[in-house]
Every structure is written in structure tokens, then in C-alpha cells.
Amino acid sequence: MSEEPRVAVVGAGIVGLCTAYALLERGVEVRVYEQGVPGNGQSGGSSRIFRHAHDDPRLIAATQESRDLYDRWGQELEVEMVSGDGAVAIGPAVESKLPLLQEAGVAARRIDAGELAAVQPLLAPYDGPAMLDERGGSIRTTAVVDALVAPLGDRLVRDEVLSVRPVADEVEVRSSGSTHRYDRVAVCAGRGTAHLARTLGLALPVQDGAHVRLTFAVRGEPPQRLATLQDSSGVFGETGVYAAAVPGNAEYAVGLSQTTRARDDASLPDPDELADLAGRAAAYVRRALPGLDPEPVDVRHCWVTTLPWGEDGVGVWERDGVLFPAGHNLWKQAPALGTRMAGGLVAQTLHPDLHPSARLGRG
Ligand SMILES: Cc1cc2nc3c(=O)[nH]c(=O)nc-3n(C[C@H](O)[C@H](O)[C@H](O)COP(=O)(O)OP(=O)(O)OC[C@H]3O[C@@H](n4cnc5c(N)ncnc54)[C@H](O)[C@@H]3O)c2cc1C
């Protein structure tokens, strides 16, 4: 690090890493605090879905920005960040989502049963509404995290931040092993963000939930092309299923978008609910994805943080020179969100869509 940074980022999940990379792109020195292993919080595990489909046209536009950034950063860092296999959606949601995508100029189109079987060969026969988002695909999560951590070098400090507070016209960050002051700070601490915000008297309307996703082995040869899947059809017994491929297409991660709500103290009202969700995901695989061996080979349990205005809701709160982003399904939003926050940290003005009152991503 050439000079003492004037900006800090708390948290090296995908949002913090994208914010830090966007700051470095602007020639801004930054320090990144991470209490654990980078990319092992909500951002952990292999693969995520990159899709453009959203109910809110503003979020479609932000996702288009993110897709271009994943491509450009991937070239700069010489790593594939999103697979080129596409994102498939089946079920009634296609009818409302496809027109919005086409209006936004996203390369998305209706596909028939034959083409569906070609891009999603694991799925049982299905002839209802189906669409393909050609620039959607599986996010290479581990490769992305490693690629964004590498340029940070000693700017990344393994330390837990206990408080952020304004001191004169600066922001003081107290972490387990140090106290530093900055001009601006972004708290991208996932589930830890609301806690640090409350220290400054800011109550973020975030609902914590616990979530489970299972990974299954592909039967036989891994397919050349394996699109991600969202199933709202109910034809196979569930209406909120998502799935993405692990690099190499030999494994497929499947989950129900439902989460089990957590109490404020992080305890779970119903201890059986996570097991029920896992059981339902495995039962769905037996019915819908004959191309998979129904015995799970891996599991991911993690917290999710959802805003009241929608599962894809995202917003950034601001107080005393500190930015507090919050929301869910942020892997696909992170490059644009991080870039817009970097702009807000440098220019002191945040993109208007990110203001909480804009309710970005509302359903
Ligand atoms: C199973 C599952 C499937 C998902 N599927 C998708 C999908 O298909 N597409 C999609 O876009 N999104 C998906 N999501 C959501 C997405 O993963 C999250 O929205 C995203 O990872 C959030 O990233 P983040 O950087 O905000 O949080 P995190 O990854 O949690 O990062 C926060 C970091 O801050 C650190 N930290 C916390 N407190 C402190 C502190 N006080 N001091 C220092 N460090 C601290 C943590 O250790 C952590 O590393 C999924 C999530 C789950 C769990």
C-alpha cells in the first residue's frame, strides 16, 4: 500500500470486494477489513445464478451494468466470472418477466421444449412457458473471490471491526487490533451490517433468515452446456426453485428460494425448518431433474438478509460519512452496486436508485 488510505471497506464478501476493486480502478487507496475468510459469509459456496430477470426495470438496468463489469473485470483479471451457458426460467413468471427483459434490450427469448432440453439436459420433459436469458449463467464464485482478493495485497486486513463512528469530519474505525480514521467508510458486512449501523443509531429494516442449498452429481458425462434454472411452474411440486452449475458442469446446486426467518438474536423459531427445506429440495430433484443422482454430495447453509420491499430488494443507507448497503441476491448486483458505491464514496453523491426511498428491486 503506497499511502495511508482515506477510504475503508468493512467486509470482504462479494459486495465489499467489488467496492474495493472499483475504488482501486479510480486510483483510490483503500483498506479492507475481514473478520473471517474472504467470500465465506453469505457469498460462500460454489456457483450462483446470474440472471437479468427482475420485476423492477431499474434493477434489470443495474444487472446489465453488472454483467458488462463481470466481463470487463474477467478480462482484466484473466478469469471467467460468469459461464456462457445462459439462464433458463420455466413457469408463469416467464409471462411477466420476458417482456420487461426485451424492453430493456436484454438478449432473452421464449424457447420450446426441444431447445429447453438442449440447454438444460438435466430436466424432465416439460412443455410449458420457458425462456432463455442468453447472457445469464452460473457465476464462478470461488474464482471471482480469488481474482478480486489478489489485487488487494496488504490492503486486506484480517480483523473484526467493532465500531465505526464520526470524529470531527472523519470516520473512526475501531477493529480488534487497530484504530484508524478515514474520510469515508462502506460497511459491506452482510449480516453484520445492521449491527454496525445500529451503533450509529441507524435501524436497517433487514430481515435475517437461514437458508439451505444442496449440490448433486450429474449422472454420466457432464454436459457441454448447462444453463441455470429457475422453476416457478409447480409442475414438479415446487414453485420457487433455483439452480446453478458448479464449474465443469459435473455438479448442480439446487435450492428453494424460501428461507426460515430468524429472530433478532439469530435463533430460529422452528429448528426443523432447515431440514424440511433440504428434504423438499431433494424430493424436487427426484421428480424434476432425472439427470442428477438424487443423493446430495454437498450442502450450503447460510444466512440471508432480505429487505421488506422484495426478495431482490437493495438499498444503501448513509450516516456520518458511512455507507451501509443491504439486500439479498447481491451476487449478480455486486459489480454495479460496488461501482456505484465507490462513486458515492469518492464524489459524496450516491446513485439515486440506491437511496432506500427508491425501493430498488421492489416486487
Ligand atoms: C445458498 C444461497 C444461494 C444464493 N443464490 C444466489 C444467486 O443465485 N444469485 C445471487 O445474486 N445471489 C444469491 N444469493 C445471495 C448472495 O449470496 C448474497 O446476497 C451475497 O453473497 C451477499 O454478499 P455480501 O458481500 O453482502 O455479504 P457477505 O458475503 O456475508 O460478506 C460480508 C463479509 O463481512 C464480514 N464481516 C461481517 N462483520 C464484520 C466485522 N464486524 N468486521 C469485519 N468483517 C466483518 C463477513 O465475515 C463476510 O465475509 C444466495 C445466497 C445463498 C446463501
Side-chain angles (χ1 to χ4, degrees):
M1 191 159 16
S2 51
E3 64 197 77
E4 186 57 20
R6 297 311 304 155
V7 178
V9 170
V10 180
I14 190 58
V15 175
L17 290 172
C18 288
T19 306
Y21 191 74
L23 285 163
L24 291 180
E25 279 193 317
R26 282 168 175 71
V28 176
E29 259 312 332
V30 59
R31 180 173 287 119
V32 180
Y33 295 85
E34 172 51 57
Q35 66 181 0
V37 176
N40 198 36
Q42 294 180 52
S43 302
S46 58
S47 81
R48 293 286 195 276
I49 294 180
F50 190 99
R51 58 176 160 99
H52 293 90
H54 294 89
D55 295 326
D56 185 339
R58 299 168 302 167
L59 204 52
I60 296 175
T63 319
Q64 288 171 295
E65 216 179 293
S66 281
R67 189 65 183 83
D68 293 342
L69 284 163
Y70 269 134
D71 272 359
R72 179 163 68 74
W73 291 356
Q75 275 152 24
E76 286 167 11
L77 298 165
E78 297 170 350
V79 64
E80 180 190 55
M81 294 194 164
V82 181
S83 80
D85 293 0
V88 159
I90 61 174
V94 169
E95 307 308 344
S96 58
K97 296 240 168 40
L98 186 55
L100 291 174
L101 290 175
Q102 292 172 335
E103 257 160 58
V106 172
R109 55 191 170 78
R110 207 173 277 281
I111 53 176
D112 62 18
E115 189 171 3
L116 175 61
V119 299
Q120 198 1 296
L122 307 177
L123 189 68
Y126 168 86
D127 60 4
M131 73 175 182
L132 174 65
D133 168 356
E134 299 190 13
R135 291 191 73 213
S138 297
I139 304 176
R140 309 308 196 189
T141 52
T142 316
V144 173
V145 167
D146 293 348
L148 292 175
V149 163
L152 292 176
D154 62 3
R155 297 176 185 87
L156 176 62
V157 294
R158 304 302 175 91
D159 221 1
E160 179 184 8
V161 170
L162 283 77
S163 81
V164 292
R165 67 170 183 141
V167 176
D169 57 356
E170 294 180 304
V171 182
E172 177 200 72
V173 173
R174 286 179 181 268
S175 63
S176 1
S178 71
T179 302
H180 287 286
R181 292 193 184 171
Y182 304 93
D183 296 336
R184 305 273 280 170
V185 173
V187 175
C188 308
R191 210 166 71 82
T193 299
H195 305 156
L196 290 168
R198 201 173 297 148
T199 302
L200 285 189
L202 197 52
L204 305 190
V206 172
Q207 171 62 56
D208 287 355
H211 188 66
V212 58
R213 188 191 68 178
L214 302 175
T215 300
F216 301 83
V218 169
R219 291 181 198 274
E221 268 308 295
Q224 276 297 312
R225 181 174 184 178
L226 185 52
T228 65
L229 175 68
Q230 282 188 291
D231 178 2
S232 63
S233 71
V235 167
F236 304 107
E238 295 285 354
T239 55
V241 176
Y242 70 89
V246 171
N249 292 347
E251 291 180 352
Y252 208 52
V254 182
L256 306 182
S257 44
Q258 196 183 329
T259 63
T260 164
R261 289 169 74 103
R263 297 192 189 96
D264 277 357
D265 62 3
S267 62
L268 302 177
D270 176 356
D272 304 328
E273 199 167 351
L274 274 178
D276 294 348
L277 289 170
R280 282 171 49 197
Y284 172 85
V285 165
R286 274 192 292 278
R287 291 188 297 266
L289 295 164
L292 294 177
D293 176 328
E295 201 44 51
V297 293
D298 194 7
V299 62
R300 185 82 200 169
H301 295 103
C302 48
W303 298 106
V304 297
T305 50
T306 313
L307 291 172
W309 57 83
E311 198 190 40
D312 291 314
V314 55
V316 178
W317 282 254
E318 187 163 3
R319 168 82 47 103
D320 301 325
V322 187
L323 299 183
F324 298 94
H328 182 35
N329 285 326
L330 298 179
W331 251 107
K332 54 187 151 44
Q333 300 302 340
L337 174 60
T339 300
R340 290 174 176 187
M341 284 211 295
L345 289 164
V346 173
Q348 319 267 340
T349 51
L350 200 57
H351 190 291
D353 287 356
L354 290 178
H355 195 280
S357 60
R359 299 271 185 277
L360 182 61
R362 63 177 158 234

